Amino acid sequence: MTDTEWVKQKLKSALGEPEVPEALLPDAMMETIRDTEEHCTISLSKIMRRAVAVAAAFLFFATALFYSLSRMEAQIPECSSANGVHFFSSEQEIVSEFSAGLPIYNFMYGKLWAEDAVNESTGATGAIDNGSTKFSAPENQAENVQEADGSLTDGDWLYTLNGYGKLFIFDVSDPTAPVLASELSLPDESYGGELFLDGNRLCAVSETYNDALGGTCTTLQVFDVSDRTAPDETARFSQEGSYFTSRIVEDNLYLISRKIPDFYGDYTENPDRLLPHIAREGKTYESVSPTRICRIGETRNSMFTTLSAYSFKESRVTDTLSVMSNTNAVYCSESTLYLSSPEGAGSRITAISLNGGEFSVRAQATVDGCPLNQFSMDEYRGDFRIAVTYDTSDATDNAVYIFDSDLQPKGKLTGIAPDERVYSARFMGEKIYLVTFRETDPLFVIDASDPTAPFIVGEVRLPGYSSYLHPYGEHLLIGFGRHVADGDSRDGTKVSLFDVSDPQHPQELDCVIFEDAFSDALYDHKALLIDTSRSLIGFPLCVGGELPYAFAVVGIDENQQLTVVRRVNTESPVYRGIRIGDVLFTVTENTLSADALFSDIHYTTLFF
């Protein structure tokens, strides 16, 4: 029996014959694909992956419905908290845990959520304080917490991964004439990945398929790049599961992956198949000790979220912790890692103290609804804050919850834009900015100066929506999203500049609309270049035509008006844009191009 046949059989026995929505029928899905191809030449695999994600979402909700009906006693209250953390004592206890649950629900629930959720690999290409305005650099959401990206620069060298197990380092000391300095192969059949850069230390995180384990593994490699022409690998560590995200806090790198246990066959006879595994320095994989595997609360989940701490000082992994959690969003502060995982109609939040590389589960809580992504969560003055959308049988609702450091409820604001959904969120000190959408784009300003009683202080309504919000100075906010006119969700890509100096009366100062254009940055915020040091916003576009792709740069002038300052057209999708001096670098799957930022001069294109 094939994997697909096995899943179909289990679904049929659990759900019967669920009615398939019209939008998911083959003819309707192919019509969607043809409509997309009118604008851009997108690879078939990319199109089908999106189509499969939609179908997977339907199966996920159908299966979740069955689960909720069969386990009504597991319904969670609107907001609760407890210290219900259970660490296991043996492999057999973990087997019993799974056997007592609902394997088919758990398998499908975890697998579909994992494949459909966007990786929380964070850090939009923005501006940080790098000592000068020489180059753009990745944004870090939380102070003193470094995040990774697929392409980086230190102003003299540019580093990029091509997604197929190759790392390239370019000499860009003369930005108008970049030169390939070195090329490095990552582990066999690697794909995807992100980079961290700190002086002469370069870290690469990638995924590979492990035949022995029969699944995906996440590998961290540490390189000494003192000699950029000959990088030297100094450390390697792998853990089972698909790469989800990573952070660097002080001298520790925190690696997070998600594994779906192997439910095929009789796993009671071979419990090792269920457990997550790790491999130090490229050695044989060994299972994580059951005493470092835990369940949070009473609900049984099907996925392991594995966290490992690698110490740069000690050049070793100091701790590994696996949580039975279908994690779909992560927020990290200097001291705490917060995991959000769906549970029933809500989410379970788990607070894990970092302790300099020694994990401890500090607290957990549940809320109605689910956060959109990492930007829907925040820690401020010791309080944890989260914005969620909650689905009912015939409507949606939105809320903001505030907890203390032990995840005890402290304050909440519910009933935010009923029948709409959160499309973006940004926490900025005592103010919280939310964008919801159904037919118009309300930008809400929430005053959270009193964490026990947050309230909406002002709002502005516009057509379309912003899928990403970014602070620009103290009183301005950049919005990136879609312009929607007359109910047409495909009208164009939009950049907005909001004035929030008067919280009661926020207003859109200006906007630029790229009609009939789509951007990957709408769902991958790392594709954005937000260079506040030079007042620039850059992003990839899919526009169709002879040169179907582009990278556009919009500038903010002294009068707080937006102007398109550069647009580079390409034959291939642009993954990243990076500025060094007055040169714009665009990275595709196999090219690096250098163009003048403020004129139409094209310097060179390197193929790799």
Side-chain angles (χ1 to χ4, degrees):
M1 179 182 296
T2 67
D3 293 356
T4 302
E5 291 170 342
W6 184 86
V7 170
K8 286 181 177 179
Q9 183 187 81
K10 293 297 184 181
L11 274 175
K12 186 174 180 180
S13 62
L15 301 174
E17 295 287 354
E19 181 180 354
V20 179
E22 183 178 349
L24 297 183
L25 294 174
D27 290 346
M29 296 177 71
M30 289 307 299
E31 182 62 30
T32 300
I33 293 172
R34 284 192 292 271
D35 181 69
T36 304
E37 288 179 322
E38 288 179 5
H39 292 83
C40 304
T41 306
I42 303 178
S43 68
L44 180 61
S45 61
K46 188 171 185 179
I47 294 170
M48 292 309 298
R49 183 174 180 178
R50 293 181 182 175
V52 169
V54 174
F58 164 69
L59 291 176
F60 160 70
F61 285 116
T63 312
L65 175 62
F66 170 74
Y67 176 74
S68 62
L69 291 175
S70 64
R71 297 188 63 186
M72 293 298 290
E73 70 279 9
Q75 293 298 313
I76 63 172
E78 181 184 72
C79 185
S80 66
S81 180
N83 294 322
V85 181
H86 175 76
F87 281 89
F88 297 98
S89 60
S90 67
E91 293 181 351
Q92 287 303 321
E93 186 183 4
I94 296 175
V95 169
S96 299
E97 183 76 11
F98 280 104
S99 299
L102 201 62
I104 176 60
Y105 158 73
N106 283 329
F107 173 76
M108 292 302 300
Y109 185 38
K111 184 175 181 62
L112 292 179
W113 193 276
E115 293 184 345
D116 192 38
V118 177
N119 274 6
E120 280 292 323
S121 316
T122 56
T125 304
I128 59 173
D129 182 11
N130 50 44
S132 71
T133 59
K134 180 181 177 182
F135 59 92
S136 60
E139 175 217 4
N140 299 317
Q141 181 189 8
E143 187 175 1
N144 299 321
V145 179
Q146 186 180 350
E147 303 182 10
D149 202 353
S151 299
L152 299 171
T153 186
D154 55 17
D156 294 314
W157 305 89
L158 191 150
Y159 314 79
T160 189
L161 294 168
N162 71 347
Y164 296 99
K166 294 286 187 179
L167 168 64
F168 300 90
I169 301 179
F170 296 91
D171 181 347
V172 291
S173 53
D174 178 359
T176 65
V179 177
L180 179 62
S182 60
E183 174 184 335
L184 192 68
S185 295
L186 300 183
D188 293 341
E189 299 182 3
S190 293
Y191 50 92
E194 293 189 311
L195 301 170
F196 287 101
L197 178 65
D198 183 11
N200 290 326
R201 182 177 64 217
L202 181 68
C203 300
V205 182
S206 61
E207 291 181 317
T208 188
Y209 186 85
N210 184 281
D211 290 328
L213 295 175
T216 301
C217 294
T218 297
T219 297
L220 164 68
Q221 293 172 274
V222 182
F223 298 95
D224 180 350
V225 290
S226 301
D227 180 359
R228 265 68 175 182
T229 64
D232 179 31
E233 182 177 340
T234 60
R236 180 182 296 195
F237 172 79
S238 298
Q239 62 187 42
E240 192 176 6
S242 300
Y243 174 55
F244 191 59
T245 191
S246 54
R247 301 288 192 276
I248 288 180
V249 181
E250 295 181 337
D251 290 313
N252 296 289
L253 186 151
Y254 299 99
L255 188 65
I256 304 175
S257 63
R258 302 179 301 181
K259 163 192 164 66
I260 302 160
D262 181 2
F263 289 108
Y264 294 99
D266 186 4
Y267 55 81
T268 60
E269 297 297 323
N270 184 12
D272 185 71
R273 293 168 53 184
L274 288 177
L275 306 182
H277 295 73
I278 60 174
R280 306 172 191 273
E281 297 300 327
K283 296 179 181 178
T284 303
Y285 279 88
E286 58 186 34
S287 59
V288 176
S289 169
T291 60
R292 295 302 289 157
I293 300 176
C294 66
R295 182 192 71 231
I296 311 296
E298 295 302 318
T299 300
R300 296 175 172 86
N301 285 296
S302 66
M303 185 186 299
F304 289 110
T305 297
T306 300
L307 296 69
S308 291
Y310 180 86
S311 169
F312 293 117
K313 279 186 177 180
E314 302 181 31
S315 298
R316 68 180 184 91
V317 172
T318 56
D319 194 14
T320 294
L321 171 71
S322 283
V323 182
M324 293 178 67
S325 169
N326 299 336
T327 301
N328 65 345
V330 168
Y331 174 79
C332 184
S333 69
E334 284 187 83
S335 62
T336 306
L337 191 69
Y338 297 91
L339 306 181
S340 172
S341 61
E343 183 170 304
S347 298
R348 182 173 295 278
I349 309 301
T350 304
I352 301 174
S353 297
L354 300 178
N355 303 319
E358 298 289 340
F359 300 115
S360 62
V361 182
R362 189 177 73 238
Q364 57 91 17
T366 56
V367 297
D368 273 347
C370 295
L372 178 67
N373 53 34
Q374 70 180 82
F375 294 103
S376 295
M377 298 184 287
D378 171 75
E379 183 186 272
Y380 182 65
R381 294 179 178 173
D383 292 339
F384 175 73
R385 309 183 294 186
I386 182 170
V388 299
T389 294
Y390 174 72
D391 286 290
T392 63
S393 59
D394 57 357
T396 61
D397 203 350
N398 306 285
V400 170
Y401 294 104
I402 301 178
F403 297 84
D404 66 14
S405 59
D406 293 321
L407 292 187
Q408 294 297 320
K410 195 170 186 178
K412 65 181 179 180
L413 173 62
T414 59
I416 306 172
D419 296 334
E420 299 190 358
R421 304 189 69 86
V422 171
Y423 269 65
S424 60
R426 196 75 191 210
F427 294 81
M428 295 170 57
E430 295 180 347
K431 296 293 188 295
I432 302 171
Y433 300 94
L434 289 185
V435 168
T436 62
F437 178 72
R438 185 177 181 185
E439 294 178 352
T440 59
D441 169 14
L443 169 65
F444 292 99
V445 182
I446 298 172
D447 188 325
S449 54
D450 179 359
T452 65
F455 65 96
I456 297 175
V457 64
E459 65 178 89
V460 59
R461 290 182 176 268
L462 302 162
Y465 61 87
S466 295
S467 60
Y468 179 74
L469 297 172
H470 190 94
Y472 181 72
E474 187 176 355
H475 300 300
L476 297 176
L477 198 63
I478 298 169
F480 183 83
R482 294 286 276 172
H483 176 66
V484 178
D486 300 325
D488 184 2
S489 62
R490 299 168 294 178
D491 196 58
T493 295
K494 179 181 179 181
V495 181
S496 298
L497 184 64
F498 296 99
D499 180 355
V500 292
S501 57
D502 180 358
Q504 292 183 333
H505 303 96
Q507 59 178 318
E508 184 184 53
L509 297 177
D510 196 14
C511 70
V512 174
I513 299 171
F514 295 82
E515 295 184 357
D516 298 321
F518 179 83
S519 177
D520 284 349
L522 292 168
Y523 61 87
D524 176 13
H525 68 273
K526 293 188 300 178
L528 286 165
L529 184 158
I530 299 184
D531 189 348
T532 55
S533 66
R534 296 289 292 272
S535 303
L536 300 173
I537 310 124
F539 42 89
L541 289 171
C542 177
V543 295
E546 185 176 349
L547 293 174
Y549 303 97
F551 193 86
V553 180
V554 173
I556 306 173
D557 65 21
E558 63 276 7
N559 298 316
Q560 298 176 348
Q561 296 296 293
L562 302 177
T563 306
V564 179
V565 299
R566 189 69 163 101
R567 177 166 168 163
V568 177
N569 295 311
T570 67
E571 295 181 352
S572 302
V574 178
Y575 292 154
R576 295 293 182 269
I578 294 175
R579 179 192 62 81
I580 300 178
D582 289 336
V583 176
L584 173 66
F585 287 91
T586 51
V587 182
T588 73
E589 187 176 86
N590 60 356
T591 65
L592 175 69
S593 295
D595 293 87
L597 184 56
F598 299 107
S599 72
D600 292 333
I601 298 175
H602 171 68
Y603 295 119
T604 188
T605 296
L606 300 180
F607 290 85
F608 55 83

